[in-house]
Amino acid sequence: MDRVFNFAAGPSMLPLEVLKKAQSELTNYNGTGMSVMEMSHRSAAFEEIIKKAEELVRELMGVPENYSVMFLQGGASTQFAMVPLNLYKNKKADYILTGAWADKAIKEAQIYGEVRVLASSKDKNFSYIPKVNTFNQDSDYVHITMNNTIYGTRYTWIPQTGNIPLVADMSSNILSEKIDVSKFGLIYAGAQKNLAPSGVTLVVARKDLIANCLDITPTMLQYKIHDENKSLYNTPPCFPIYILKLVLEWLKNEGGLKAIEERNIEKASILYNFLDNSKLFKGTVVKEDRSLMNIPFVLPDDELNKKFIDTAKKQGFVELKGHRSVGGMRASIYNAMPVQGVKELVEIMKKFEKENS
Ligand SMILES: *Cc1c(COP(=O)(O)O)cnc(C)c1O
């Protein structure tokens, strides 16, 4: 066995072309005689890398001019604090509770101000996205988790928040489908699901929203500082930013967001169609809110779940065990997962169904 089909929720698969390119440049990047890992973040070679990464984010996502693109550290979890610290003015915000990550974001925002949880899907183990159309007019922002990695739900629509900035955690759906950035005040995503290895966090923020922050905000947690310094206020995660650049080049080469979205819909449909028609395997999410990236499913009992996970693993289909809060299985099929990987997964599911019913 060489490479496996890796269905991990994150860190997750990277395109093989990207890994090979990084390997070929690992000890001598572009004639510098050194690795990107050994390079000053102030060097001309690295400045070119980070500049290109920003350009590609802007181009692929269609980021408007009045937005800043930042490469930060501390994962999406640090954004749970940075968002309120930088966006609070009245110190009030609206949050929608759609899962464990949203819950963590809420708890962090509560440290610095008043959080109003407008809706929750906790009543049905987060298997749907609650529809919310009215927001508190004195809120500094509205926060959503656009794709819920653990529960496999996603917003297929964008809440209309009017003048209140919409903030979205897109850690597990960033650059997987076309979105209109101008509908959001701020977007953040940890890289390790769809962008790069862990260590870098992408933030896209409307500049007027990040001009001021709460007085208590540590320097390193101020968007303004990172924006003014083009993500080079301190030493950034150079190697993950370099891999991010390679992934974005790969994405562009594959045809950009439109092409990758079509492919992601195709992949998800292959698996959902099977689940909808299977007598043994069942999806856990209501149809209209199903994720394109994370697909949880269950068998009738835990013994069968375990048997399937073991059977799949032996054939090179790994990391299919579901999160403990849903149980069963979860197939994370981010951008780098080829269509063939999903097709072959469905084949072994069909075979398993035949042998076990
Ligand atoms: C993984 C994940 C996080 C946490 O990311 P870290 O980078 O580990 O802090 C937050 N939100 C969502 C939606 C995620 O999928």
Side-chain angles (χ1 to χ4, degrees), residues 33-295:
M34 61 176 86
S35 171
V36 175
M37 284 185 272
E38 304 168 299
M39 195 176 273
S40 166
H41 59 297
R42 311 273 176 214
S43 65
F46 186 73
E47 289 226 354
E48 199 182 298
I49 290 171
I50 196 167
K51 198 166 146 253
K52 186 74 191 168
E54 176 177 344
E55 261 172 43
L56 284 164
V57 168
R58 287 187 180 278
E59 180 185 335
L60 289 164
M61 286 180 76
V63 178
E65 277 287 301
N66 60 327
Y67 283 67
S68 168
V69 172
M70 291 169 274
F71 304 113
L72 308 182
Q73 301 191 56
S77 300
T78 297
Q79 295 309 305
F80 297 164
M82 279 181 81
V83 165
L85 283 167
N86 287 269
L87 268 55
Y88 270 157
K89 307 286 175 276
N90 297 326
K91 297 197 186 179
K92 287 175 184 167
D94 291 350
Y95 277 68
I96 316 292
L97 178 56
T98 52
W101 296 119
D103 190 47
K104 285 193 169 170
I106 288 167
K107 294 212 162 78
E108 205 67 22
Q110 279 170 337
I111 298 173
Y112 310 105
E114 186 191 327
V115 169
R116 281 84 60 104
V117 179
L118 293 189
S120 162
S121 48
K122 199 173 178 185
D123 58 335
K124 292 186 177 151
N125 201 30
F126 300 115
S127 58
Y128 70 103
I129 300 285
K131 307 274 177 295
V132 186
N133 297 306
T134 40
F135 303 93
N136 290 303
Q137 287 308 306
D138 61 346
S139 268
D140 294 315
Y141 61 90
V142 175
H143 181 282
I144 62 168
T145 310
M146 197 143 180
N147 184 79
N148 294 277
T149 325
I150 294 173
Y151 301 92
T153 60
R154 72 165 170 147
Y155 284 79
T156 55
W157 46 284
I158 298 175
Q160 300 299 313
T161 57
N163 289 330
I164 311 165
L166 179 62
V167 174
D169 178 355
M170 293 196 195
S171 294
S172 50
N173 69 321
I174 188 90
L175 284 163
S176 68
E177 55 185 322
K178 282 194 98 132
I179 56 132
D180 182 351
V181 174
S182 73
K183 297 272 193 297
F184 297 85
L186 189 146
I187 292 166
Y188 63 87
Q192 67 273 22
K193 279 123 192 182
N194 228 352
L195 295 177
S198 61
V200 62
T201 308
L202 175 66
V203 176
V204 177
R206 223 174 71 206
K207 285 192 185 188
D208 61 296
L209 296 176
I210 58 170
N212 298 296
C213 58
L214 297 186
D215 292 341
I216 56 162
T217 311
T219 309
M220 272 297 288
L221 299 189
Q222 299 181 18
Y223 290 127
K224 192 165 61 109
I225 291 287
H226 294 292
D227 175 42
E228 284 167 2
N229 290 279
K230 299 230 154 262
S231 303
L232 292 166
Y233 171 73
N234 74 324
T235 318
C238 297
F239 198 74
I241 291 170
Y242 157 67
I243 301 288
L244 170 63
K245 185 199 84 133
L246 296 183
V247 169
L248 296 171
E249 284 169 348
W250 170 82
L251 195 55
K252 187 175 171 181
N253 219 14
E254 295 291 299
L257 268 206
K258 192 169 175 292
I260 209 76
E261 175 174 354
E262 278 166 17
R263 189 191 299 171
N264 287 332
I265 292 170
E266 182 193 350
K267 286 186 309 193
S269 303
I270 292 170
L271 192 42
Y272 285 128
N273 283 341
F274 171 73
L275 291 171
D276 289 344
N277 293 301
S278 170
K279 292 199 167 58
L280 205 59
F281 290 93
K282 292 273 170 269
T284 60
V285 170
V286 301
K287 267 190 186 174
E288 64 269 26
D289 299 329
R290 295 196 294 205
S291 170
L292 296 176
M293 299 281 100
N294 312 97
I295 305 186

Side-chain angles (χ1 to χ4, degrees), residues 32 329 332:
T32 57
M329 282 66 65
S332 294

